[in-house]
Amino acid sequence: MPDAAETMRPPELQGVIRRRMLVNFRADPGVVRRLLPAPFKPKLHAGHALVGICLIRLEAIRPTGWPAWCGLSSENAAHRIAVEWEDDGRRREGVFVPRRHTGSRLNQLAGGRIFPGQHLAADFTIDEAAGSIRLRMQAKDRRTTVEVVGKETDALQAGSCFADLADSSAFFAAGSVGYSANHGGARADGLELVTDRWTVRPLQVEAVTSSFFDDRSVFPAGSICFDHALIMRDIPHRWMALPDIALGAPGCCG
């Protein structure tokens, strides 16, 4: 008979990424390092740490092999930090997620229990038309707000630390593995996003706010700056649970 760990293994999920925005900021590596528990440390590009918000609409989400008609849809947001770490002598990379929010009641109930990652409740307001988008997220507990206004374009935002779209795409494609603290902060749940293809376009951002990244008690003045944003649409994908890992004290893996 299978043991308890095997019977409790979270199911693999599949669905469609209807819309995914990666809103990216460059930040002071020293400031970001203090936010990360061991074994994670900032993954750098051109001397900068990269942090951001993943704003994603998922559709037809269901256990792999189930028909699409029984799938669920949801709006979700994750504040994330590009990281790297050592695993049995191998360098690994992905993202650490300090906060996840969702508009789905089911995700709130199942996150951190049935599948990895605790999800906090939030309201989402989205207005899309002809390649333009305005998205606002307000957490139910009023602690976190996000607003992004932008339009799809063909070139990265002026002043980005990335040379071009290919440079940015390669960096963020490597961030398909995400970990977020759970179990009272002692361990981190792991989740891997597997896409049938990876296709992104630049999103020209006209306005962006994040109460987390705008908090000067976390990111002092001058330590963080908006860099650029990407958008992807209509991507078939799967979510796969990963073994959790033990966490140490923040900042100890400098």
Side-chain angles (χ1 to χ4, degrees):
M1 293 181 64
D3 60 25
E6 183 68 23
T7 58
M8 291 300 290
R9 185 184 300 277
E12 179 182 302
L13 303 176
Q14 70 178 101
V16 175
I17 298 173
R18 191 60 67 199
R19 176 208 346 104
R20 185 188 191 202
M21 294 189 290
L22 299 177
V23 183
N24 306 305
F25 300 74
R26 57 185 184 270
D28 183 320
V31 171
V32 173
R33 190 174 295 116
R34 293 195 293 269
L35 303 176
L36 293 172
F40 303 114
K41 60 183 180 180
K43 177 187 172 184
L44 304 185
H45 181 83
H48 303 286
L50 272 296
V51 303
I53 317 158
C54 173
L55 299 160
I56 187 169
R57 177 168 179 80
L58 301 173
E59 296 185 359
I61 300 298
R62 75 276 187 194
T64 297
W66 288 30
W69 61 263
C70 65
L72 301 175
S73 301
S74 61
E75 295 283 352
N76 306 275
H79 283 76
R80 40 186 251 158
I81 300 169
V83 296
E84 57 186 18
W85 67 99
E86 294 290 326
D87 180 14
D88 289 332
R90 293 190 307 125
R91 177 184 173 274
R92 301 285 305 279
E93 58 184 284
V95 296
F96 180 75
V97 181
R99 296 186 187 181
R100 293 185 188 272
H101 290 86
T102 182
S104 164
R105 179 63 174 163
L106 179 60
N107 288 359
Q108 297 166 41
L109 294 173
R113 298 178 179 89
I114 297 174
F115 59 81
Q118 180 184 11
H119 291 64
L120 303 176
D123 294 317
F124 290 79
T125 305
I126 301 100
D127 182 15
E128 292 188 80
S132 295
I133 184 165
R134 177 187 295 269
L135 183 148
R136 178 174 172 79
M137 185 210 80
Q138 173 73 65
K140 295 279 192 181
D141 62 10
R142 303 294 177 178
R143 292 182 56 206
T144 309
T145 59
V146 171
E147 185 162 8
V148 179
V149 180
K151 58 183 178 182
E152 295 182 45
T153 184
D154 296 319
L156 287 191
Q157 203 99 10
S160 171
C161 67
F162 290 88
D164 52 30
L165 178 61
D167 191 25
S168 170
S169 178
F171 182 93
F172 292 105
S176 61
V177 170
Y179 280 93
S180 52
N182 201 352
H183 312 286
R187 304 190 69 83
D189 287 340
L191 194 64
E192 182 175 9
L193 170 63
V194 180
T195 57
D196 289 5
R197 65 182 187 277
W198 175 265
T199 305
V200 295
R201 293 195 64 199
L203 184 74
Q204 189 77 15
V205 170
E206 300 167 2
V208 57
T209 60
S210 159
S211 58
F212 180 55
F213 295 137
D214 294 341
D215 185 346
R216 293 297 164 252
S217 69
V218 180
F219 291 92
S223 68
I224 188 169
C225 179
F226 171 71
D227 193 86
H228 74 289
L230 303 172
I231 190 166
M232 59 197 307
R233 295 185 183 274
D234 304 324
I235 307 292
H237 73 289
R238 292 174 289 134
W239 296 104
M240 300 174 60
L242 300 173
D244 61 5
I245 60 176
L247 296 178
C252 70
C253 287

